C-alpha cells in the first residue's frame, strides 16, 4: 500500500475529537507565528549599528523630523524589513511546493535550476548590456527564472507519462549544470561581471530600496495565489499520480501550476536579494512538524516561518560582527548546513 494512502486512511474524520484538537492546534500555532513575525519585524526596525527604541520608532513614523534617525527608520530599515518578509514568505512557500512536487524532502528552490536561471540572466545583462543596478536587472532575473522553469518542465514532460517527480529532478539537475557552466564562463571572461555578480551572489537585504519591493511584489502576489490554488491538487498528488487521476485531478495542469508558482516566487526573490539558500529547505520541514501533510495549512505556515527566519537571521547578521554586517545569505548558510546534515542523517525522512 502506498505510504501516502496509508497515511490518509489513518487520518481522523473531520468531526472527530482528534481532528478538532488538531485543527485547534493549527490555529493556535498560526496565532503564535503571527506574534513571532511581529516581534521579528520590530527587532528588524529597531536593531542595527544604531539602536533605535520602539517608542522613538513610532514617534519618527508619526512625526517625521528629517533627522538621521528618521531617515534610517523610514528609508532603510522599513523597506529592508518589508523586503525580508516578502522574500521569506516567497521562499518558504516555494520550498514547500518544490518538496511536494518532486516528493523530495531535501529539495529547495535551487533544485530545478530556477535560481541558476536567474543568476545566468543577471550575469548576461551585466556582460552584454552593462547593467549594474539591482533595479535594472530585476527583470532579467525574473525572465531567466521563468525561462529555466519552462525549459525544465518541457524536458521533464518529454516521456509518455508526462512530468514525474524523478524526471523533474533530473531535468533540473541538467539545467543547473548547463546554466552554472555558462555563468562561470562569463564571469571568468569579464571582470565587471565578476565584481557585480559576486556581491549579488551572496544573498543580502542590504541596499534594496522600496522601488525593488514594488517591482517584485506583483510577481510574488501572483505566485502565492497560484500556490493556494495548487494546494488541493497537491493533496491529491500525494496519493500518487494514478490515484489523483482517478479522483479527477488533471495532473499535468496541477504540476504546471505548481512549477509556474515556484518560478514566480523564486525568480522574484532571487532578483531582489540574490540566491538565499536553505530557507526553502528549513521552513517547510519546521511547518510540517505542526501541520502535517495538508498543504492548505502547510503553505501558510511555511511562508510565515520563512519570514520569521529571514528577519531573525538578518538581525543576527547586523549585531554578530560588531562593526559592519554579515549578509543574511551567509547567516542562513551557517544555520542551514547543520540543519541539512541532521535532516539527511535521520533514519526516516518525512514521507512526502
Amino acid at each position: 500500500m502506498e505510504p501516502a494512502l496509508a497515511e490518509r486512511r489513518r487520518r481522523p474524520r473531520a468531526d472527530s475529537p482528534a481532528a478538532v484538537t488538531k485543527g485547534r492546534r493549527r490555529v493556535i500555532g498560526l496565532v503564535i507565528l503571527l506574534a513571532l513575525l511581529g516581534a521579528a519585524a520590530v527587532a528588524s526596525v529597531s536593531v542595527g549599528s544604531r539602536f533605535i527604541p520602539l517608542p522613538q520608532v513610532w514617534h519618527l513614523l508619526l512625526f517625521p523630523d528629517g533627522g538621521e534617525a528618521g531617515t534610517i527608520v523610514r528609508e532603510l530599515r522599513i523597506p529592508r524589513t518589508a523586503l525580508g518578509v516578502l522574500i521569506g514568505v516567497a521562499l518558504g512557500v516555494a520550498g514547500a511546493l518544490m518538496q511536494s512536487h518532486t516528493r523530495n524532502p531535501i529539495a529547495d528552490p535551487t533544485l530545478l535550476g530556477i535560481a541558476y536561471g536567474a543568476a545566468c540572466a543577471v550575469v548576461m545583462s551585466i556582460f552584454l548590456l552593462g547593467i549594474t543596478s539591482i533595479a535594472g536587472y530585476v527583470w532579467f532575473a525574473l525572465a531567466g527564472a521563468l525561462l529555466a522553469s519552462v525549459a525544465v518542465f518541457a524536458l521533464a514532460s518529454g516521456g509518455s507519462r508526462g512530468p514525474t517527480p524523478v524526471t523533474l529532478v533530473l531535468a533540473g539537475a541538467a539545467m543547473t549544470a548547463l546554466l552554472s557552466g555558462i555563468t562561470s564562463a562569463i564571469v571568468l571572461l569579464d571582470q565587471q561581471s565578476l565584481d557585480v555578480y559576486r556581491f549579488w551572489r551572496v544573498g543580502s537585504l542590504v541596499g534594496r530600496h522600496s522601488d525593488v519591493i514594488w517591482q517584485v511584489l506583483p510577481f510574488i502576489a501572483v505566485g502565492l495565489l497560484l500556490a493556494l490554488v495548487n494546494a488541493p491538487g497537491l493533496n491529491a498528488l500525494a496519493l500518487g499520480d494514478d490515484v489523483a487521476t482517478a479522483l479527477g485531478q488533471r495532473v499535468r495542469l496541477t504540476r504546471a501550476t505548481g512549477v509556474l508558482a515556484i518560478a514566480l516566487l523564486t525568480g522574484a526573490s532571487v532578483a531582489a536579494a540574490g540566491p538565499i539558500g536553505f530557507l526553502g529547505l528549513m521552513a517547510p520541514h519546521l511547518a510540517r512538524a505542526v501541520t502535517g501533510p495538508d498543504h492548505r495549512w502547510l503553505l501558510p505556515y511555511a511562508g510565515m516561518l520563512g519570514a520569521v527566519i529571514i528577519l531573525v537571521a538578518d538581525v543576527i547578521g547586523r549585531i554578530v560582527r560588531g562593526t559592519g554586517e554579515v549578509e543574511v545569505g551567509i547567516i542562513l548558510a551557517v544555520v542551514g548546513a547543520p540543519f541539512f546534515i541532521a535532516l539527511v542523517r535521520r533514519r526516516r525522512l518525512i514521507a512526502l
Side-chain angles (χ1 to χ4, degrees):
M1 182 182 297
E2 291 283 344
L5 186 58
E7 172 67 22
R8 188 174 190 182
R9 290 188 176 182
R10 286 196 295 269
R11 289 177 191 169
R13 293 179 51 184
D15 55 349
S16 68
V20 172
T21 302
K22 195 172 184 179
R24 189 177 300 161
R25 189 179 64 178
R26 288 167 170 168
V27 173
I28 292 173
L30 213 52
V31 173
I32 294 173
L33 266 180
L34 276 172
L36 288 174
L37 181 56
V42 168
S44 178
V45 175
S46 296
V47 178
S49 57
R50 175 176 175 177
F51 177 73
I52 303 175
L54 185 58
Q56 187 180 356
V57 170
W58 284 116
H59 181 78
L60 291 170
L61 289 175
L62 296 174
F63 308 102
D65 57 4
E68 182 184 356
T71 302
I72 292 173
V73 169
R74 296 172 68 88
E75 297 185 13
L76 297 178
R77 291 190 182 169
I78 287 183
R80 182 171 177 168
T81 303
L83 184 62
V85 171
L86 266 183
I87 292 175
V89 170
L91 290 180
V93 172
L97 289 175
M98 180 75 69
Q99 292 172 10
S100 299
H101 274 285
T102 61
R103 293 181 199 159
N104 185 342
I106 57 174
D108 78 350
T110 60
L111 187 69
L112 293 190
I114 297 171
Y116 289 94
C120 187
V122 167
V123 170
M124 292 185 76
S125 72
I126 298 167
F127 180 63
L128 297 175
L129 303 175
I131 296 174
T132 56
S133 69
I134 294 170
Y137 49 66
V138 160
W139 296 100
F140 291 93
L142 278 167
L146 287 172
L147 288 174
S149 306
V150 171
V152 167
F153 193 75
L155 286 172
S157 304
S160 58
R161 300 184 59 185
T164 67
V166 175
T167 58
L168 280 171
V169 171
L170 292 176
M175 191 59 60
T176 297
L178 173 65
L179 295 171
S180 179
I182 295 173
T183 303
S184 299
I186 293 175
V187 297
L188 286 174
L189 289 173
D190 184 64
Q191 183 65 39
Q192 183 188 15
S193 301
L194 175 61
D195 292 341
V196 177
Y197 176 69
R198 66 186 177 188
F199 172 76
W200 177 78
R201 179 70 178 82
V202 173
S204 175
L205 302 178
V206 180
R208 275 64 168 173
H209 299 291
S210 55
D211 56 336
V212 174
I213 297 175
W214 291 114
Q215 287 186 64
V216 300
L217 180 60
F219 298 96
I220 292 179
V222 174
L224 292 176
L225 182 62
L226 289 174
L228 292 177
V229 171
N230 204 220
L234 275 176
N235 284 345
L237 286 181
L239 305 174
D241 288 4
D242 293 338
V243 177
T245 302
L247 292 174
Q249 281 294 323
R250 300 170 66 181
V251 174
R252 285 191 178 224
L253 180 61
T254 303
R255 293 216 184 278
T257 304
V259 170
L260 181 58
I262 293 167
L264 289 170
L265 295 171
T266 307
S269 303
V270 172
I276 296 179
F278 294 109
L279 187 59
L281 174 72
M282 291 189 290
H285 279 284
L286 295 174
R288 199 175 285 109
V290 179
T291 66
D294 189 341
H295 291 83
R296 294 169 300 179
W297 287 93
L298 174 62
L299 296 182
Y301 261 76
M304 293 183 66
L305 270 168
V308 172
I309 292 171
I310 196 170
L311 289 183
V312 171
D314 190 40
V315 171
I316 292 173
R318 299 180 206 174
I319 60 179
V320 70
R321 191 175 168 184
T323 58
E325 295 186 8
V326 178
E327 283 75 9
V328 67
I330 297 174
I331 297 294
L332 283 173
V334 171
V335 176
F339 183 91
F340 178 80
I341 293 170
L343 189 65
V344 298
R345 285 180 62 86
R346 288 174 61 184
R347 289 186 177 181
R348 179 177 174 272
L349 289 173
I350 296 173
L352 298 178

